[in-house]
Amino acid sequence: MELNATYAFDAITEKGAHLVPVSGPGLAGLQNLGNSCYMNSVAQMLFSGTIPELSSRYGAKDSLQNIVPAKASDDLLCQAAKLSSALTSGEFCGPVPESAEVTDSSSNDPKYRLAPRMFKHQVGHDHVDFRTGQQQDAAQYFQYLLEKLDRAELGAGDRLKSKDGSGPAIVTSNLFAHKTESRLVCASDNMIKYKESAPETMLSLRIPMSKSTLPDDKSPDLKKQKSEDSGDSKEKKEIPTVTFDACLDEWSAVTSVDDYRWPHLQNSISKGSTSQNKFVNFPRYLLVHMQRYELGDDWQPKKIEVDIDMPETISLQKFKGTGGPQEGEKLVPEEEASSSGSGETSNAPAAPVIDEGALGQLMDMGFGMNACKRALTAVGGSNVEAAMSWVFEHNTDPDFNDPLPEGDSTAAVSSSSDVDESVVMSLVENLGCFTADQVRAAVKHCSGAADRAADWLFSHMDDIDSAVAALESASASASSVSTSSTPLEDGEGSYNLIGLVSHIGKNTGSGHYVAHLKKDGKWVIFNDEKVALSEHPPIKHAYMYLFQRSDTASKPNEEY
């Protein structure tokens, strides 16, 4: 009760509103399996028909069914198709009585209960957090699910081909993938360097509370002073508002770079240098994550009580990058930059393996995934306290939330082909019933985590050789496709809001998640099993916003 008695609880759940239950294709609820609302909200957003490309790929009843029945439970593509077809078919929607309230149980018949147990297990069984029954961060789950789907799709072979059959199909993450461009200006000689990020599937924005306003145009500082002067401690708390444009301006603002080492200056630091972020491309779907959580004075994550003034139609055109160097710009010499970089790369030690548990703890404190990976990489991979110190020292860096450079990120997230042989030999000796090759494959699959590798080995003991062969086949397929990645989509920077995921609670690891999706022009609330027309969608309270590029409306990508 205490966790629910938090900011915006009534608004997000639309408590007190006369919500009319709805039923039919794309309007099926999902049973809460115990703190699984974070998964339900993301699954509804991806697989219930809001994104037609994924409905086309996974929603058809004959989709991806070419699989041996005995292996279906361990096949992510099969389980995703099973869930999507159940959500979009309408066969699991119970009857809706006339004039029913959403709190009424329309039917207790088990055939109307859609419980995605097998999907939850298949996605999270090898993850330190998502395999548990505890509440998790929906934004982190969204990114992890896309990574899992990409790997499964790349390893699907003949089961998932491009429409013309010439090669592998486009992976799901391509729908959301976008790159950003950083333009760095050296203060010493005004020479310019352009840095392009690796593709990202989520735009994570900090909320600039310094630009917030209170009702009647009262600034937070003035309001606080008025409250103190009046001595009225029981005065109703007014929530500040920050515009979405202010968040974007903060993300794309020119910031100082105080510790960047310039290759053309013999890796010396040039004080007063600046950097600015812009979009390289505008994806078909843009998922915006608002950083609503920060560390309090007691080092515990807390929710920022703020409303986001979010319009349902946005334009990002002014945040589009120039596409590289412009006429008249003096660029940092590429030969010097690359030779310096190659020398550093060849002598640099391998990046440490990032511990998933430590990564999850940092993300629960409100930091973005890229920032957390950078911090853990800098301190050895698993020391949360040291990583937090690094975060506070570097949170103003221009690349703080950028993905790790490609050469580092592969090793840092332990997805490279290199495996720590000491871990392998330790498991071989301690377990005693697996070969080194089997253990090596399991360690690689589990991102270097010994405990998860042991769990994986024991869970596949009945047919360990086939399981290892499947891992190697998927890895080979992924590596062969990664060398020729699909070009990212691009278009005009105009977007329409089509989905929300809101969070109730003090931090992302507790409380409750609710989804609101636009269906046939009307907002619908998905609160686990309860599905109803929304009267007042909590747009200003959302944690994640899903946008669709305007020029793609009613024009799904046929390649899916």
Side-chain angles (χ1 to χ4, degrees):
M1 291 297 293
E2 181 182 356
L3 287 176
N4 283 336
T6 55
Y7 166 65
F9 172 77
D10 291 349
I12 291 173
T13 59
E14 300 193 56
K15 183 179 179 182
H18 180 72
L19 301 181
V20 179
V22 289
S23 181
L27 300 171
L30 289 173
Q31 183 180 346
N32 193 314
L33 306 176
N35 293 321
S36 66
C37 53
Y38 69 94
M39 178 195 72
N40 291 348
S41 298
V42 172
Q44 291 283 11
M45 183 172 63
L46 293 178
F47 298 119
S48 68
T50 303
I51 300 178
E53 289 83 1
L54 296 185
S55 299
S56 174
R57 171 167 291 182
Y58 292 108
K61 289 189 176 181
D62 59 347
S63 175
L64 305 169
Q65 291 188 357
N66 184 20
I67 185 173
V68 178
K71 296 182 179 180
S73 61
D74 292 326
D75 187 275
L76 177 58
L77 299 184
C78 181
Q79 294 305 319
K82 174 184 171 184
L83 176 61
S84 183
S85 61
L87 289 172
T88 57
S89 67
E91 294 180 3
F92 293 88
C93 296
V96 179
E98 294 183 6
S99 303
E101 296 285 350
V102 73
T103 52
D104 295 341
S105 177
S106 58
S107 176
N108 292 320
D109 193 324
K111 70 181 180 181
Y112 297 125
R113 298 177 70 83
L114 192 54
R117 290 188 178 88
M118 297 177 75
F119 179 81
K120 181 178 186 297
H121 170 76
Q122 184 53 36
V123 174
H125 73 278
D126 56 354
H127 190 278
V128 66
D129 291 322
F130 299 137
R131 66 182 178 184
T132 69
Q134 298 175 345
Q135 187 67 278
Q136 305 298 337
D137 186 348
Q140 183 183 357
Y141 182 79
F142 169 82
Q143 291 187 298
Y144 183 73
L145 175 57
L146 289 191
E147 292 175 5
K148 292 273 288 188
L149 285 173
D150 281 0
R151 289 198 294 268
E153 290 167 351
L154 290 172
D158 293 335
R159 296 173 57 209
L160 195 62
K161 287 277 190 179
S162 60
K163 293 297 182 181
D164 59 7
S166 60
I170 304 176
V171 294
T172 292
S173 65
N174 196 268
L175 293 168
F176 306 89
H178 62 274
K179 291 184 177 181
T180 56
E181 171 189 273
S182 297
R183 182 178 183 271
L184 294 99
V185 181
C186 179
S188 299
D189 51 19
N190 288 326
M191 295 188 77
I192 295 171
K193 180 178 177 64
Y194 285 90
K195 291 174 58 180
E196 194 172 281
S197 73
E200 277 289 288
T201 55
M202 179 186 294
L203 177 64
S204 186
L205 297 180
R206 193 177 71 84
I207 302 176
M209 293 303 295
S210 60
K211 298 181 180 179
S212 65
T213 59
L214 283 170
D216 301 326
D217 296 324
K218 297 170 185 174
S219 68
D221 292 337
L222 290 175
K223 183 65 183 176
K224 180 179 179 182
Q225 181 179 356
K226 180 180 177 181
S227 177
E228 291 175 351
D229 293 342
S230 65
D232 185 7
S233 60
K234 294 183 179 180
E235 184 178 355
K236 184 178 179 181
K237 188 174 184 179
E238 293 183 339
I239 304 300
T241 297
V242 175
T243 65
F244 183 60
D245 281 342
C247 299
L248 287 171
D249 289 338
E250 182 80 4
W251 171 79
S252 185
V254 176
T255 56
S256 61
V257 184
D258 295 328
D259 60 352
Y260 185 79
R261 298 186 178 276
W262 295 90
H264 71 294
L265 300 179
Q266 290 73 49
N267 286 330
S268 63
I269 295 175
S270 176
K271 294 290 186 181
S273 299
T274 61
S275 175
Q276 185 177 26
N277 291 325
K278 296 284 187 178
F279 284 98
V280 173
N281 71 294
F282 292 128
R284 179 171 287 257
Y285 297 94
L286 179 67
L287 190 82
V288 178
H289 164 238
M290 304 305 299
Q291 299 178 23
R292 286 186 173 272
Y293 299 87
E294 63 180 0
L295 282 182
D297 296 335
D298 57 355
W299 288 66
Q300 295 296 317
K302 67 176 184 179
K303 190 170 188 176
I304 302 174
E305 296 189 357
V306 61
D307 293 341
I308 303 297
D309 184 6
M310 176 70 73
E312 295 196 37
T313 300
I314 63 172
S315 176
L316 305 180
Q317 198 60 43
K318 68 177 182 179
F319 300 103
K320 185 71 175 285
T322 58
Q326 300 298 297
E327 184 178 353
E329 292 182 338
K330 292 178 59 180
L331 301 181
V332 173
E334 288 201 9
E335 287 130 5
E336 293 182 31
S338 81
S339 64
S340 172
S342 62
E344 291 174 3
T345 303
S346 60
N347 297 324
V353 174
I354 291 178
D355 180 79
E356 286 185 354
L359 180 64
Q361 288 183 52
L362 282 180
M363 292 187 67
D364 286 345
M365 296 174 187
F367 304 114
M369 177 178 288
N370 292 327
C372 296
K373 286 182 177 180
R374 283 182 175 273
L376 288 169
T377 300
V379 301
S382 60
N383 191 323
V384 176
E385 185 173 348
M388 289 173 62
S389 299
W390 187 94
V391 165
F392 286 117
E393 292 175 7
H394 296 83
N395 60 8
T396 58
D397 292 356
D399 59 352
F400 180 68
N401 283 304
D402 290 348
L404 289 166
E406 289 189 19
D408 297 333
S409 61
T410 304
V413 297
S414 61
S415 60
S416 71
S417 59
D418 297 328
V419 173
D420 190 339
E421 289 299 323
S422 63
V423 174
V424 174
M425 298 315 298
S426 175
L427 285 175
V428 170
E429 294 175 5
N430 292 327
L431 301 180
C433 53
F434 301 102
T435 67
D437 288 339
Q438 293 168 345
V439 172
R440 190 174 292 108
V443 171
K444 180 180 176 182
H445 173 65
C446 297
S447 305
D451 57 340
R452 290 169 49 213
D455 289 344
W456 186 92
L457 288 165
F458 283 117
S459 64
H460 293 83
M461 281 189 68
D462 294 340
D463 196 7
I464 186 65
D465 291 331
S466 297
V468 170
L471 287 182
E472 294 174 346
S473 175
S475 178
S477 300
S479 61
S480 65
V481 175
S482 62
T483 58
S484 56
S485 58
T486 305
L488 300 182
E489 284 198 50
D490 197 8
E492 294 295 325
S494 177
Y495 284 89
N496 297 320
L497 183 64
I498 60 172
L500 315 167
V501 173
S502 307
H503 177 253
I504 306 161
K506 295 181 177 179
N507 57 68
T508 55
S510 65
H512 185 58
Y513 286 93
V514 176
H516 285 74
L517 304 174
K518 189 168 279 189
K519 303 283 187 176
D520 297 325
K522 298 180 179 179
W523 283 101
V524 178
I525 180 174
F526 292 83
N527 188 355
D528 288 330
E529 294 181 64
K530 301 171 183 177
V531 181
L533 292 177
S534 171
E535 287 192 352
H536 306 288
I539 296 177
K540 63 183 180 181
H541 301 295
Y543 179 52
M544 298 159 62
Y545 296 88
L546 178 64
F547 291 92
Q548 181 181 23
R549 211 173 66 228
S550 302
D551 61 342
T552 67
S554 303
K555 297 178 182 177
N557 188 336
E558 299 297 334
E559 286 298 313
Y560 288 86

